Amino acid sequence: MTAATTTITTWNVNSVRIRLDGIAALIEAHDPDLLCLQETKVVNDSFPLDAFEALGYRHSIIAGMKSYNGVAILSRLPFADSGVRDWCGKADCRHVWATLENGVEVNNFYVPAGGDVPDAALNDKFAHKLRFLAEMINWFAARSAPANKLVLVGDLNVAPLETDVWSHKALLKVVSHTPIEVEALDALKASHRWIDTARIFTPPEETLYSWWSYRARDWETADRGRRLDHIWVTPALEDAVQSVDTLRPARGWERPSDHVPVTLTLSV
DNA sequence: ATGGTCGGTGTCCGA
């Protein structure tokens, strides 16, 4: 049987309704079969499903709330199954998943950003972030051995490597790159023997970012980025990984998201 | 060391 190509993009769009032109441009650039979006910021009834259907994405699982968070998977390929899961006892729309007919299960996460102060005793948002990661670790550790073909994508809001941030030293006490968060992300990675696919193609010695703050005067010249967006696969899919592309130019588009799309191509 | 900008909302919150 000939392997088919499946292409999966993750993108924190920071409002799906205001980013429809950007989504069309992303499709031009990367032509993904699946779009995994975060921060859609819209309730399900107002989600622009029509626009995605017009672009060829007829299958979907969405979980949205007013103003905040929100995740979605839009797909050209039908789902065998799909669902929404709550974390930390909150129905705050941070995870949707879908299993394709070839058995590949795609999990799309929006991990809490964690606020400004990296101390769980002082900052409830940081405590929530650590609890969320701990719950993910337990969830994937408790699932059956990673013989299954799983994909985990999303805005994990942690930049784990020194080369995943513009200055390791300057960001050691900045939420997203603190040692306690990096430890949690490492534990999550170990929980199901996940493989960080972007780093197969861009070695850890090289910088790689997927997010640049809106607040920089000139994001491109300053290049004070962080790699917050990730695409992981289980070992059963390692040999299927063909390429990973981070669409840095998207940060320079008109009315950009502060995150850029990251796309994985699988041969399965 | 500080402040800077978005998006959705509603006269601020979260990132």
Side-chain angles (χ1 to χ4, degrees), chain A residues 55-115:
Chain A
L55 291 164
Y57 298 82
R58 296 173 46 227
H59 311 278
S60 62
I61 178 77
I62 61 177
M65 58 193 285
K66 193 176 176 180
S67 291
Y68 304 113
N69 312 331
V71 285
I73 304 175
L74 295 309
S75 178
R76 290 172 173 164
L77 306 171
F79 300 153
D81 199 4
S82 65
V84 178
R85 193 170 190 278
D86 292 338
W87 297 80
C88 300
K90 298 171 191 276
D92 60 352
C93 304
R94 293 181 180 276
H95 177 214
V96 287
W97 58 273
T99 306
L100 303 178
E101 289 181 331
N102 61 13
V104 173
E105 179 190 299
V106 178
N107 289 272
N108 177 21
F109 282 94
Y110 176 49
V111 172

Side-chain angles (χ1 to χ4, degrees), chain A residues 7-78:
Chain A
T7 307
I8 303 170
T9 295
T10 180
W11 193 15
N12 180 323
V13 287
N14 187 17
S15 170
V16 67
R17 287 177 292 184
I18 210 165
R19 213 67 66 205
L20 288 174
D21 288 346
I23 286 162
L26 157 65
I27 293 165
E28 283 280 309
H30 280 179
D31 196 31
D33 297 304
L34 275 80
L35 285 164
C36 297
L37 308 180
Q38 303 89 35
E39 283 208 84
T40 54
K41 294 188 172 179
V42 64
V43 294
N44 290 354
D45 285 347
S46 300
F47 193 99
L49 280 176
D50 291 354
F52 287 93
E53 280 175 26
L55 291 164
Y57 298 82
R58 296 173 46 227
H59 311 278
S60 62
I61 178 77
I62 61 177
M65 58 193 285
K66 193 176 176 180
S67 291
Y68 304 113
N69 312 331
V71 285
I73 304 175
L74 295 309
S75 178
R76 290 172 173 164
L77 306 171

Side-chain angles (χ1 to χ4, degrees), chain A residues 113 115-116 129 155 157-168 170-178 181 199 207-215 219 223-230 246 248 258-260 262:
Chain A
D116 288 332
K129 182 178 197 172
D155 177 4
N157 266 316
V158 180
L161 304 181
E162 296 192 12
T163 49
D164 290 336
V165 293
W166 64 274
S167 167
H168 170 62
L171 291 177
L172 271 171
K173 292 179 179 173
V174 173
V175 172
S176 72
H177 192 62
T178 64
E181 292 168 88
R199 284 304 186 183
T207 59
L208 183 61
Y209 312 139
S210 65
W211 173 91
W212 293 261
S213 171
Y214 281 128
R215 296 173 189 174
W219 73 275
D223 200 20
R224 293 186 168 189
R226 305 179 201 170
R227 188 169 71 104
L228 305 178
D229 304 275
H230 300 271
T246 302
R248 181 179 166 112
D258 45 355
H259 296 253
V260 299
V262 183

